[in-house]
PDB file of all heavy atoms in Angstrom:
ATOM      1  N   LEU A  12     -28.568  -3.496  -0.640  1.00  0.00           N
ATOM      2  CA  LEU A  12     -29.314  -3.538  -1.869  1.00  0.00           C
ATOM      3  C   LEU A  12     -28.881  -4.671  -2.808  1.00  0.00           C
ATOM      4  O   LEU A  12     -29.677  -5.341  -3.457  1.00  0.00           O
ATOM      5  CB  LEU A  12     -29.131  -2.229  -2.625  1.00  0.00           C
ATOM      6  CG  LEU A  12     -30.182  -1.781  -3.624  1.00  0.00           C
ATOM      7  CD1 LEU A  12     -31.583  -1.693  -3.005  1.00  0.00           C
ATOM      8  CD2 LEU A  12     -29.825  -0.401  -4.186  1.00  0.00           C
ATOM      9  N   PHE A  13     -27.574  -4.992  -2.822  1.00  0.00           N
ATOM     10  CA  PHE A  13     -26.992  -5.958  -3.712  1.00  0.00           C
ATOM     11  C   PHE A  13     -26.793  -7.306  -3.000  1.00  0.00           C
ATOM     12  O   PHE A  13     -25.986  -8.153  -3.505  1.00  0.00           O
ATOM     13  CB  PHE A  13     -25.683  -5.463  -4.307  1.00  0.00           C
ATOM     14  CG  PHE A  13     -25.844  -4.170  -5.061  1.00  0.00           C
ATOM     15  CD1 PHE A  13     -24.772  -3.220  -5.051  1.00  0.00           C
ATOM     16  CD2 PHE A  13     -27.009  -3.818  -5.764  1.00  0.00           C
ATOM     17  CE1 PHE A  13     -24.934  -2.001  -5.726  1.00  0.00           C
ATOM     18  CE2 PHE A  13     -27.135  -2.621  -6.435  1.00  0.00           C
ATOM     19  CZ  PHE A  13     -26.086  -1.714  -6.456  1.00  0.00           C
ATOM     20  N   GLY A  14     -27.488  -7.528  -1.899  1.00  0.00           N
ATOM     21  CA  GLY A  14     -27.514  -8.822  -1.262  1.00  0.00           C
ATOM     22  C   GLY A  14     -26.237  -9.207  -0.526  1.00  0.00           C
ATOM     23  O   GLY A  14     -25.919 -10.417  -0.418  1.00  0.00           O
ATOM     24  N   LEU A  15     -25.491  -8.233  -0.026  1.00  0.00           N
ATOM     25  CA  LEU A  15     -24.183  -8.514   0.618  1.00  0.00           C
ATOM     26  C   LEU A  15     -24.232  -8.285   2.092  1.00  0.00           C
ATOM     27  O   LEU A  15     -23.197  -8.388   2.737  1.00  0.00           O
ATOM     28  CB  LEU A  15     -23.120  -7.587  -0.010  1.00  0.00           C
ATOM     29  CG  LEU A  15     -22.735  -7.952  -1.442  1.00  0.00           C
ATOM     30  CD1 LEU A  15     -21.951  -6.803  -2.058  1.00  0.00           C
ATOM     31  CD2 LEU A  15     -21.864  -9.247  -1.529  1.00  0.00           C
ATOM     32  N   GLU A  16     -25.384  -7.958   2.647  1.00  0.00           N
ATOM     33  CA  GLU A  16     -25.463  -7.740   4.058  1.00  0.00           C
ATOM     34  C   GLU A  16     -25.072  -8.995   4.848  1.00  0.00           C
ATOM     35  O   GLU A  16     -25.581 -10.077   4.560  1.00  0.00           O
ATOM     36  CB  GLU A  16     -26.917  -7.326   4.472  1.00  0.00           C
ATOM     37  CG  GLU A  16     -26.980  -6.648   5.810  1.00  0.00           C
ATOM     38  CD  GLU A  16     -28.373  -5.979   6.044  1.00  0.00           C
ATOM     39  OE1 GLU A  16     -29.329  -6.464   5.471  1.00  0.00           O
ATOM     40  OE2 GLU A  16     -28.396  -5.018   6.848  1.00  0.00           O
ATOM     41  N   GLY A  17     -24.167  -8.877   5.818  1.00  0.00           N
ATOM     42  CA  GLY A  17     -23.702  -9.991   6.580  1.00  0.00           C
ATOM     43  C   GLY A  17     -22.578 -10.775   5.903  1.00  0.00           C
ATOM     44  O   GLY A  17     -21.987 -11.647   6.489  1.00  0.00           O
ATOM     45  N   LYS A  18     -22.292 -10.451   4.620  1.00  0.00           N
ATOM     46  CA  LYS A  18     -21.281 -11.148   3.864  1.00  0.00           C
ATOM     47  C   LYS A  18     -19.990 -10.345   3.767  1.00  0.00           C
ATOM     48  O   LYS A  18     -18.972 -10.883   3.399  1.00  0.00           O
ATOM     49  CB  LYS A  18     -21.775 -11.486   2.451  1.00  0.00           C
ATOM     50  CG  LYS A  18     -23.034 -12.394   2.424  1.00  0.00           C
ATOM     51  CD  LYS A  18     -23.499 -12.625   1.014  1.00  0.00           C
ATOM     52  CE  LYS A  18     -24.733 -13.462   0.949  1.00  0.00           C
ATOM     53  NZ  LYS A  18     -25.206 -13.676  -0.464  1.00  0.00           N
ATOM     54  N   VAL A  19     -20.061  -9.091   4.069  1.00  0.00           N
ATOM     55  CA  VAL A  19     -18.893  -8.187   3.996  1.00  0.00           C
ATOM     56  C   VAL A  19     -18.457  -7.805   5.436  1.00  0.00           C
ATOM     57  O   VAL A  19     -19.349  -7.484   6.248  1.00  0.00           O
ATOM     58  CB  VAL A  19     -19.205  -6.902   3.200  1.00  0.00           C
ATOM     59  CG1 VAL A  19     -18.016  -5.990   3.137  1.00  0.00           C
ATOM     60  CG2 VAL A  19     -19.673  -7.281   1.776  1.00  0.00           C
ATOM     61  N   ASN A  20     -17.203  -7.881   5.677  1.00  0.00           N
ATOM     62  CA  ASN A  20     -16.668  -7.472   7.005  1.00  0.00           C
ATOM     63  C   ASN A  20     -16.445  -6.008   6.998  1.00  0.00           C
ATOM     64  O   ASN A  20     -15.565  -5.482   6.323  1.00  0.00           O
ATOM     65  CB  ASN A  20     -15.351  -8.233   7.245  1.00  0.00           C
ATOM     66  CG  ASN A  20     -14.794  -7.952   8.653  1.00  0.00           C
ATOM     67  OD1 ASN A  20     -15.410  -7.251   9.446  1.00  0.00           O
ATOM     68  ND2 ASN A  20     -13.620  -8.429   8.882  1.00  0.00           N
ATOM     69  N   ILE A  21     -17.321  -5.245   7.783  1.00  0.00           N
ATOM     70  CA  ILE A  21     -17.209  -3.809   7.778  1.00  0.00           C
ATOM     71  C   ILE A  21     -16.212  -3.350   8.857  1.00  0.00           C
ATOM     72  O   ILE A  21     -16.354  -3.662  10.045  1.00  0.00           O
ATOM     73  CB  ILE A  21     -18.600  -3.138   8.068  1.00  0.00           C
ATOM     74  CG1 ILE A  21     -19.617  -3.606   7.068  1.00  0.00           C
ATOM     75  CG2 ILE A  21     -18.478  -1.670   8.105  1.00  0.00           C
ATOM     76  CD1 ILE A  21     -19.313  -3.187   5.597  1.00  0.00           C
ATOM     77  N   ALA A  22     -15.186  -2.616   8.448  1.00  0.00           N
ATOM     78  CA  ALA A  22     -14.184  -2.116   9.384  1.00  0.00           C
ATOM     79  C   ALA A  22     -14.724  -0.981  10.186  1.00  0.00           C
ATOM     80  O   ALA A  22     -15.269  -0.010   9.642  1.00  0.00           O
ATOM     81  CB  ALA A  22     -12.942  -1.662   8.589  1.00  0.00           C
ATOM     82  N   ASN A  23     -14.616  -1.093  11.501  1.00  0.00           N
ATOM     83  CA  ASN A  23     -15.203  -0.076  12.410  1.00  0.00           C
ATOM     84  C   ASN A  23     -14.206   1.004  12.723  1.00  0.00           C
ATOM     85  O   ASN A  23     -13.772   1.215  13.865  1.00  0.00           O
ATOM     86  CB  ASN A  23     -15.660  -0.773  13.688  1.00  0.00           C
ATOM     87  CG  ASN A  23     -16.508   0.187  14.563  1.00  0.00           C
ATOM     88  OD1 ASN A  23     -17.145   1.072  14.055  1.00  0.00           O
ATOM     89  ND2 ASN A  23     -16.488  -0.053  15.850  1.00  0.00           N
ATOM     90  N   VAL A  24     -13.799   1.745  11.677  1.00  0.00           N
ATOM     91  CA  VAL A  24     -12.821   2.823  11.864  1.00  0.00           C
ATOM     92  C   VAL A  24     -13.258   4.040  11.010  1.00  0.00           C
ATOM     93  O   VAL A  24     -14.091   3.868  10.092  1.00  0.00           O
ATOM     94  CB  VAL A  24     -11.360   2.439  11.463  1.00  0.00           C
ATOM     95  CG1 VAL A  24     -10.810   1.451  12.485  1.00  0.00           C
ATOM     96  CG2 VAL A  24     -11.335   1.828  10.076  1.00  0.00           C
ATOM     97  N   GLU A  25     -12.674   5.182  11.262  1.00  0.00           N
ATOM     98  CA  GLU A  25     -13.029   6.423  10.565  1.00  0.00           C
ATOM     99  C   GLU A  25     -12.440   6.372   9.142  1.00  0.00           C
ATOM    100  O   GLU A  25     -11.398   5.836   8.904  1.00  0.00           O
ATOM    101  CB  GLU A  25     -12.564   7.622  11.328  1.00  0.00           C
ATOM    102  CG  GLU A  25     -13.199   7.836  12.702  1.00  0.00           C
ATOM    103  CD  GLU A  25     -14.669   8.144  12.598  1.00  0.00           C
ATOM    104  OE1 GLU A  25     -15.104   8.580  11.564  1.00  0.00           O
ATOM    105  OE2 GLU A  25     -15.390   7.852  13.583  1.00  0.00           O
ATOM    106  N   LEU A  26     -13.130   7.075   8.245  1.00  0.00           N
ATOM    107  CA  LEU A  26     -12.747   7.113   6.848  1.00  0.00           C
ATOM    108  C   LEU A  26     -11.334   7.782   6.697  1.00  0.00           C
ATOM    109  O   LEU A  26     -10.587   7.420   5.764  1.00  0.00           O
ATOM    110  CB  LEU A  26     -13.731   7.902   5.991  1.00  0.00           C
ATOM    111  CG  LEU A  26     -13.486   7.893   4.493  1.00  0.00           C
ATOM    112  CD1 LEU A  26     -13.551   6.490   3.920  1.00  0.00           C
ATOM    113  CD2 LEU A  26     -14.514   8.811   3.804  1.00  0.00           C
ATOM    114  N   GLY A  27     -10.945   8.631   7.624  1.00  0.00           N
ATOM    115  CA  GLY A  27      -9.642   9.299   7.572  1.00  0.00           C
ATOM    116  C   GLY A  27      -8.496   8.324   7.638  1.00  0.00           C
ATOM    117  O   GLY A  27      -7.380   8.628   7.214  1.00  0.00           O
ATOM    118  N   SER A  28      -8.707   7.073   8.111  1.00  0.00           N
ATOM    119  CA  SER A  28      -7.717   6.067   8.214  1.00  0.00           C
ATOM    120  C   SER A  28      -7.595   5.164   7.006  1.00  0.00           C
ATOM    121  O   SER A  28      -6.782   4.281   6.953  1.00  0.00           O
ATOM    122  CB  SER A  28      -7.951   5.192   9.461  1.00  0.00           C
ATOM    123  OG  SER A  28      -8.168   5.974  10.639  1.00  0.00           O
ATOM    124  N   SER A  29      -8.428   5.475   5.982  1.00  0.00           N
ATOM    125  CA  SER A  29      -8.608   4.507   4.898  1.00  0.00           C
ATOM    126  C   SER A  29      -7.355   4.317   4.057  1.00  0.00           C
ATOM    127  O   SER A  29      -7.030   3.161   3.729  1.00  0.00           O
ATOM    128  CB  SER A  29      -9.753   4.995   3.974  1.00  0.00           C
ATOM    129  OG  SER A  29      -9.502   6.327   3.455  1.00  0.00           O
ATOM    130  N   VAL A  30      -6.667   5.379   3.695  1.00  0.00           N
ATOM    131  CA  VAL A  30      -5.467   5.238   2.833  1.00  0.00           C
ATOM    132  C   VAL A  30      -4.399   4.406   3.523  1.00  0.00           C
ATOM    133  O   VAL A  30      -3.812   3.501   2.931  1.00  0.00           O
ATOM    134  CB  VAL A  30      -4.937   6.607   2.432  1.00  0.00           C
ATOM    135  CG1 VAL A  30      -3.662   6.471   1.594  1.00  0.00           C
ATOM    136  CG2 VAL A  30      -6.008   7.378   1.559  1.00  0.00           C
ATOM    137  N   ALA A  31      -4.098   4.740   4.798  1.00  0.00           N
ATOM    138  CA  ALA A  31      -3.059   4.009   5.502  1.00  0.00           C
ATOM    139  C   ALA A  31      -3.496   2.533   5.708  1.00  0.00           C
ATOM    140  O   ALA A  31      -2.703   1.619   5.581  1.00  0.00           O
ATOM    141  CB  ALA A  31      -2.842   4.669   6.860  1.00  0.00           C
ATOM    142  N   ALA A  32      -4.769   2.322   6.035  1.00  0.00           N
ATOM    143  CA  ALA A  32      -5.237   0.952   6.235  1.00  0.00           C
ATOM    144  C   ALA A  32      -5.174   0.144   4.972  1.00  0.00           C
ATOM    145  O   ALA A  32      -4.868  -1.071   4.984  1.00  0.00           O
ATOM    146  CB  ALA A  32      -6.664   1.011   6.779  1.00  0.00           C
ATOM    147  N   LEU A  33      -5.456   0.790   3.846  1.00  0.00           N
ATOM    148  CA  LEU A  33      -5.380   0.093   2.530  1.00  0.00           C
ATOM    149  C   LEU A  33      -3.936  -0.314   2.167  1.00  0.00           C
ATOM    150  O   LEU A  33      -3.663  -1.446   1.870  1.00  0.00           O
ATOM    151  CB  LEU A  33      -5.971   0.968   1.442  1.00  0.00           C
ATOM    152  CG  LEU A  33      -6.208   0.286   0.099  1.00  0.00           C
ATOM    153  CD1 LEU A  33      -7.476  -0.607   0.159  1.00  0.00           C
ATOM    154  CD2 LEU A  33      -6.396   1.325  -1.028  1.00  0.00           C
ATOM    155  N   LYS A  34      -3.050   0.667   2.417  1.00  0.00           N
ATOM    156  CA  LYS A  34      -1.656   0.434   2.080  1.00  0.00           C
ATOM    157  C   LYS A  34      -1.041  -0.658   2.979  1.00  0.00           C
ATOM    158  O   LYS A  34      -0.246  -1.489   2.516  1.00  0.00           O
ATOM    159  CB  LYS A  34      -0.881   1.744   2.310  1.00  0.00           C
ATOM    160  CG  LYS A  34       0.615   1.643   2.003  1.00  0.00           C
ATOM    161  CD  LYS A  34       1.311   3.003   2.277  1.00  0.00           C
ATOM    162  CE  LYS A  34       2.823   2.863   1.962  1.00  0.00           C
ATOM    163  NZ  LYS A  34       3.484   4.153   2.249  1.00  0.00           N
ATOM    164  N   ASN A  35      -1.467  -0.687   4.220  1.00  0.00           N
ATOM    165  CA  ASN A  35      -0.941  -1.676   5.198  1.00  0.00           C
ATOM    166  C   ASN A  35      -1.682  -3.038   5.138  1.00  0.00           C
ATOM    167  O   ASN A  35      -1.496  -3.854   6.017  1.00  0.00           O
ATOM    168  CB  ASN A  35      -0.990  -1.102   6.624  1.00  0.00           C
ATOM    169  CG  ASN A  35      -0.065   0.092   6.770  1.00  0.00           C
ATOM    170  OD1 ASN A  35       0.959   0.145   6.075  1.00  0.00           O
ATOM    171  ND2 ASN A  35      -0.455   1.041   7.620  1.00  0.00           N
ATOM    172  N   LYS A  36      -2.620  -3.135   4.184  1.00  0.00           N
ATOM    173  CA  LYS A  36      -3.433  -4.344   4.003  1.00  0.00           C
ATOM    174  C   LYS A  36      -4.248  -4.717   5.233  1.00  0.00           C
ATOM    175  O   LYS A  36      -4.551  -5.912   5.430  1.00  0.00           O
ATOM    176  CB  LYS A  36      -2.488  -5.511   3.631  1.00  0.00           C
ATOM    177  CG  LYS A  36      -1.775  -5.291   2.310  1.00  0.00           C
ATOM    178  CD  LYS A  36      -1.072  -6.530   1.789  1.00  0.00           C
ATOM    179  CE  LYS A  36      -0.417  -6.307   0.436  1.00  0.00           C
ATOM    180  NZ  LYS A  36       0.184  -7.498  -0.140  1.00  0.00           N
ATOM    181  N   GLN A  37      -4.683  -3.692   5.959  1.00  0.00           N
ATOM    182  CA  GLN A  37      -5.620  -3.923   7.076  1.00  0.00           C
ATOM    183  C   GLN A  37      -7.045  -4.040   6.552  1.00  0.00           C
ATOM    184  O   GLN A  37      -7.936  -4.564   7.251  1.00  0.00           O
ATOM    185  CB  GLN A  37      -5.488  -2.804   8.086  1.00  0.00           C
ATOM    186  CG  GLN A  37      -4.122  -2.735   8.788  1.00  0.00           C
ATOM    187  CD  GLN A  37      -4.010  -1.432   9.561  1.00  0.00           C
ATOM    188  OE1 GLN A  37      -4.022  -0.342   9.020  1.00  0.00           O
ATOM    189  NE2 GLN A  37      -3.767  -1.613  10.863  1.00  0.00           N
ATOM    190  N   ILE A  38      -7.292  -3.511   5.367  1.00  0.00           N
ATOM    191  CA  ILE A  38      -8.595  -3.570   4.694  1.00  0.00           C
ATOM    192  C   ILE A  38      -8.347  -3.953   3.250  1.00  0.00           C
ATOM    193  O   ILE A  38      -7.265  -3.752   2.716  1.00  0.00           O
ATOM    194  CB  ILE A  38      -9.392  -2.247   4.825  1.00  0.00           C
ATOM    195  CG1 ILE A  38      -8.582  -1.091   4.164  1.00  0.00           C
ATOM    196  CG2 ILE A  38      -9.781  -1.942   6.202  1.00  0.00           C
ATOM    197  CD1 ILE A  38      -9.326   0.237   4.075  1.00  0.00           C
ATOM    198  N   ASP A  39      -9.401  -4.443   2.611  1.00  0.00           N
ATOM    199  CA  ASP A  39      -9.359  -4.775   1.161  1.00  0.00           C
ATOM    200  C   ASP A  39      -9.788  -3.546   0.344  1.00  0.00           C
ATOM    201  O   ASP A  39      -9.424  -3.458  -0.859  1.00  0.00           O
ATOM    202  CB  ASP A  39     -10.200  -5.933   0.827  1.00  0.00           C
ATOM    203  CG  ASP A  39      -9.740  -7.234   1.519  1.00  0.00           C
ATOM    204  OD1 ASP A  39      -8.616  -7.665   1.152  1.00  0.00           O
ATOM    205  OD2 ASP A  39     -10.482  -7.785   2.395  1.00  0.00           O
ATOM    206  N   GLY A  40     -10.554  -2.656   0.929  1.00  0.00           N
ATOM    207  CA  GLY A  40     -11.024  -1.534   0.193  1.00  0.00           C
ATOM    208  C   GLY A  40     -11.764  -0.550   1.048  1.00  0.00           C
ATOM    209  O   GLY A  40     -12.013  -0.816   2.275  1.00  0.00           O
ATOM    210  N   PHE A  41     -12.158   0.589   0.453  1.00  0.00           N
ATOM    211  CA  PHE A  41     -12.914   1.573   1.217  1.00  0.00           C
ATOM    212  C   PHE A  41     -13.932   2.258   0.303  1.00  0.00           C
ATOM    213  O   PHE A  41     -13.770   2.281  -0.905  1.00  0.00           O
ATOM    214  CB  PHE A  41     -12.034   2.579   1.940  1.00  0.00           C
ATOM    215  CG  PHE A  41     -11.239   3.519   1.072  1.00  0.00           C
ATOM    216  CD1 PHE A  41     -11.769   4.754   0.643  1.00  0.00           C
ATOM    217  CD2 PHE A  41      -9.986   3.163   0.656  1.00  0.00           C
ATOM    218  CE1 PHE A  41     -11.008   5.586  -0.157  1.00  0.00           C
ATOM    219  CE2 PHE A  41      -9.191   4.050  -0.126  1.00  0.00           C
ATOM    220  CZ  PHE A  41      -9.733   5.241  -0.581  1.00  0.00           C
ATOM    221  N   VAL A  42     -14.977   2.839   0.894  1.00  0.00           N
ATOM    222  CA  VAL A  42     -15.991   3.524   0.176  1.00  0.00           C
ATOM    223  C   VAL A  42     -15.905   5.043   0.495  1.00  0.00           C
ATOM    224  O   VAL A  42     -15.763   5.386   1.677  1.00  0.00           O
ATOM    225  CB  VAL A  42     -17.372   3.040   0.555  1.00  0.00           C
ATOM    226  CG1 VAL A  42     -18.474   3.760  -0.241  1.00  0.00           C
ATOM    227  CG2 VAL A  42     -17.468   1.522   0.304  1.00  0.00           C
ATOM    228  N   THR A  43     -15.963   5.868  -0.531  1.00  0.00           N
ATOM    229  CA  THR A  43     -15.945   7.283  -0.269  1.00  0.00           C
ATOM    230  C   THR A  43     -16.748   8.000  -1.286  1.00  0.00           C
ATOM    231  O   THR A  43     -16.887   7.512  -2.423  1.00  0.00           O
ATOM    232  CB  THR A  43     -14.451   7.880  -0.293  1.00  0.00           C
ATOM    233  OG1 THR A  43     -14.417   9.214   0.113  1.00  0.00           O
ATOM    234  CG2 THR A  43     -13.830   7.694  -1.649  1.00  0.00           C
ATOM    235  N   ALA A  44     -17.332   9.122  -0.945  1.00  0.00           N
ATOM    236  CA  ALA A  44     -18.082   9.966  -1.866  1.00  0.00           C
ATOM    237  C   ALA A  44     -17.460  11.339  -1.942  1.00  0.00           C
ATOM    238  O   ALA A  44     -17.275  11.981  -0.892  1.00  0.00           O
ATOM    239  CB  ALA A  44     -19.554  10.058  -1.433  1.00  0.00           C
ATOM    240  N   GLY A  45     -17.081  11.719  -3.122  1.00  0.00           N
ATOM    241  CA  GLY A  45     -16.481  13.035  -3.290  1.00  0.00           C
ATOM    242  C   GLY A  45     -16.421  13.391  -4.771  1.00  0.00           C
ATOM    243  O   GLY A  45     -16.531  12.504  -5.632  1.00  0.00           O
ATOM    244  N   SER A  46     -16.286  14.629  -5.060  1.00  0.00           N
ATOM    245  CA  SER A  46     -16.209  15.003  -6.496  1.00  0.00           C
ATOM    246  C   SER A  46     -14.870  14.474  -7.035  1.00  0.00           C
ATOM    247  O   SER A  46     -13.814  14.623  -6.443  1.00  0.00           O
ATOM    248  CB  SER A  46     -16.184  16.546  -6.567  1.00  0.00           C
ATOM    249  OG  SER A  46     -17.381  17.037  -5.993  1.00  0.00           O
ATOM    250  N   TYR A  47     -14.983  13.850  -8.169  1.00  0.00           N
ATOM    251  CA  TYR A  47     -13.735  13.236  -8.721  1.00  0.00           C
ATOM    252  C   TYR A  47     -12.951  14.296  -9.542  1.00  0.00           C
ATOM    253  O   TYR A  47     -13.534  15.232 -10.067  1.00  0.00           O
ATOM    254  CB  TYR A  47     -14.088  11.995  -9.626  1.00  0.00           C
ATOM    255  CG  TYR A  47     -14.589  12.356 -11.041  1.00  0.00           C
ATOM    256  CD1 TYR A  47     -13.748  12.644 -12.087  1.00  0.00           C
ATOM    257  CD2 TYR A  47     -15.949  12.368 -11.301  1.00  0.00           C
ATOM    258  CE1 TYR A  47     -14.174  12.941 -13.366  1.00  0.00           C
ATOM    259  CE2 TYR A  47     -16.443  12.655 -12.567  1.00  0.00           C
ATOM    260  CZ  TYR A  47     -15.564  12.914 -13.587  1.00  0.00           C
ATOM    261  OH  TYR A  47     -16.016  13.202 -14.850  1.00  0.00           O
ATOM    262  N   PRO A  48     -11.610  14.187  -9.482  1.00  0.00           N
ATOM    263  CA  PRO A  48     -10.856  13.195  -8.753  1.00  0.00           C
ATOM    264  C   PRO A  48     -10.783  13.523  -7.260  1.00  0.00           C
ATOM    265  O   PRO A  48     -10.415  14.625  -6.883  1.00  0.00           O
ATOM    266  CB  PRO A  48      -9.466  13.333  -9.410  1.00  0.00           C
ATOM    267  CG  PRO A  48      -9.385  14.702  -9.962  1.00  0.00           C
ATOM    268  CD  PRO A  48     -10.802  15.059 -10.352  1.00  0.00           C
ATOM    269  N   ALA A  49     -11.144  12.525  -6.474  1.00  0.00           N
ATOM    270  CA  ALA A  49     -11.226  12.728  -5.017  1.00  0.00           C
ATOM    271  C   ALA A  49      -9.793  12.633  -4.411  1.00  0.00           C
ATOM    272  O   ALA A  49      -9.056  11.743  -4.715  1.00  0.00           O
ATOM    273  CB  ALA A  49     -12.103  11.638  -4.374  1.00  0.00           C
ATOM    274  N   PRO A  50      -9.445  13.643  -3.569  1.00  0.00           N
ATOM    275  CA  PRO A  50      -8.061  13.651  -3.024  1.00  0.00           C
ATOM    276  C   PRO A  50      -7.619  12.368  -2.339  1.00  0.00           C
ATOM    277  O   PRO A  50      -6.484  11.919  -2.442  1.00  0.00           O
ATOM    278  CB  PRO A  50      -8.112  14.840  -2.054  1.00  0.00           C
ATOM    279  CG  PRO A  50      -9.170  15.737  -2.630  1.00  0.00           C
ATOM    280  CD  PRO A  50     -10.207  14.842  -3.188  1.00  0.00           C
ATOM    281  N   ASN A  51      -8.554  11.729  -1.552  1.00  0.00           N
ATOM    282  CA  ASN A  51      -8.164  10.573  -0.830  1.00  0.00           C
ATOM    283  C   ASN A  51      -7.955   9.340  -1.741  1.00  0.00           C
ATOM    284  O   ASN A  51      -7.151   8.474  -1.477  1.00  0.00           O
ATOM    285  CB  ASN A  51      -9.131  10.207   0.300  1.00  0.00           C
ATOM    286  CG  ASN A  51     -10.577  10.063  -0.143  1.00  0.00           C
ATOM    287  OD1 ASN A  51     -10.903  10.468  -1.277  1.00  0.00           O
ATOM    288  ND2 ASN A  51     -11.430   9.519   0.724  1.00  0.00           N
ATOM    289  N   VAL A  52      -8.676   9.352  -2.903  1.00  0.00           N
ATOM    290  CA  VAL A  52      -8.496   8.260  -3.832  1.00  0.00           C
ATOM    291  C   VAL A  52      -7.195   8.487  -4.639  1.00  0.00           C
ATOM    292  O   VAL A  52      -6.457   7.535  -4.922  1.00  0.00           O
ATOM    293  CB  VAL A  52      -9.692   8.194  -4.835  1.00  0.00           C
ATOM    294  CG1 VAL A  52      -9.491   7.013  -5.771  1.00  0.00           C
ATOM    295  CG2 VAL A  52     -10.955   7.974  -4.044  1.00  0.00           C
ATOM    296  N   ILE A  53      -6.828   9.701  -4.938  1.00  0.00           N
ATOM    297  CA  ILE A  53      -5.551  10.070  -5.557  1.00  0.00           C
ATOM    298  C   ILE A  53      -4.419   9.578  -4.651  1.00  0.00           C
ATOM    299  O   ILE A  53      -3.462   8.966  -5.102  1.00  0.00           O
ATOM    300  CB  ILE A  53      -5.456  11.554  -5.861  1.00  0.00           C
ATOM    301  CG1 ILE A  53      -6.454  12.027  -6.906  1.00  0.00           C
ATOM    302  CG2 ILE A  53      -4.040  11.917  -6.268  1.00  0.00           C
ATOM    303  CD1 ILE A  53      -6.486  13.496  -7.144  1.00  0.00           C
ATOM    304  N   GLU A  54      -4.559   9.887  -3.358  1.00  0.00           N
ATOM    305  CA  GLU A  54      -3.536   9.487  -2.396  1.00  0.00           C
ATOM    306  C   GLU A  54      -3.444   7.986  -2.329  1.00  0.00           C
ATOM    307  O   GLU A  54      -2.306   7.438  -2.279  1.00  0.00           O
ATOM    308  CB  GLU A  54      -3.881  10.095  -1.030  1.00  0.00           C
ATOM    309  CG  GLU A  54      -2.790   9.864   0.026  1.00  0.00           C
ATOM    310  CD  GLU A  54      -3.234  10.338   1.403  1.00  0.00           C
ATOM    311  OE1 GLU A  54      -4.285  10.977   1.540  1.00  0.00           O
ATOM    312  OE2 GLU A  54      -2.473  10.107   2.338  1.00  0.00           O
ATOM    313  N   ALA A  55      -4.571   7.276  -2.309  1.00  0.00           N
ATOM    314  CA  ALA A  55      -4.525   5.813  -2.256  1.00  0.00           C
ATOM    315  C   ALA A  55      -3.841   5.225  -3.468  1.00  0.00           C
ATOM    316  O   ALA A  55      -2.999   4.323  -3.344  1.00  0.00           O
ATOM    317  CB  ALA A  55      -5.946   5.261  -2.116  1.00  0.00           C
ATOM    318  N   ALA A  56      -4.155   5.744  -4.637  1.00  0.00           N
ATOM    319  CA  ALA A  56      -3.584   5.209  -5.891  1.00  0.00           C
ATOM    320  C   ALA A  56      -2.083   5.479  -5.991  1.00  0.00           C
ATOM    321  O   ALA A  56      -1.342   4.718  -6.562  1.00  0.00           O
ATOM    322  CB  ALA A  56      -4.280   5.861  -7.093  1.00  0.00           C
ATOM    323  N   ALA A  57      -1.612   6.535  -5.307  1.00  0.00           N
ATOM    324  CA  ALA A  57      -0.181   6.844  -5.302  1.00  0.00           C
ATOM    325  C   ALA A  57       0.620   5.936  -4.349  1.00  0.00           C
ATOM    326  O   ALA A  57       1.812   5.795  -4.548  1.00  0.00           O
ATOM    327  CB  ALA A  57       0.025   8.301  -4.901  1.00  0.00           C
ATOM    328  N   SER A  58      -0.088   5.310  -3.409  1.00  0.00           N
ATOM    329  CA  SER A  58       0.635   4.538  -2.426  1.00  0.00           C
ATOM    330  C   SER A  58       0.510   3.018  -2.627  1.00  0.00           C
ATOM    331  O   SER A  58       1.362   2.265  -2.168  1.00  0.00           O
ATOM    332  CB  SER A  58       0.085   4.846  -0.994  1.00  0.00           C
ATOM    333  OG  SER A  58      -1.254   4.522  -0.871  1.00  0.00           O
TER     334      SER A  58
END
């Protein structure tokens, strides 16, 4: 929708790996949908 198709490198891994991948700098970020405060976002912010 925001004109980024083909411009963003989409990581082909499950969302459950997001916090570790973010911490280890394997990804720049992740997308998640959950009622805030979302547990996986709390975990990411703590690490």
Side-chain angles (χ1 to χ4, degrees):
L12 204 58
F13 303 147
L15 290 163
E16 198 169 26
K18 297 178 182 179
V19 179
N20 184 5
I21 303 297
N23 189 29
V24 290
E25 297 295 336
L26 188 61
S28 308
S29 58
V30 175
L33 191 76
K34 181 180 178 181
N35 296 330
K36 299 192 175 183
Q37 295 169 301
I38 57 174
D39 295 296
F41 66 90
V42 180
T43 187
S46 302
Y47 78 84
N51 55 346
V52 182
I53 292 174
E54 185 183 356
S58 62

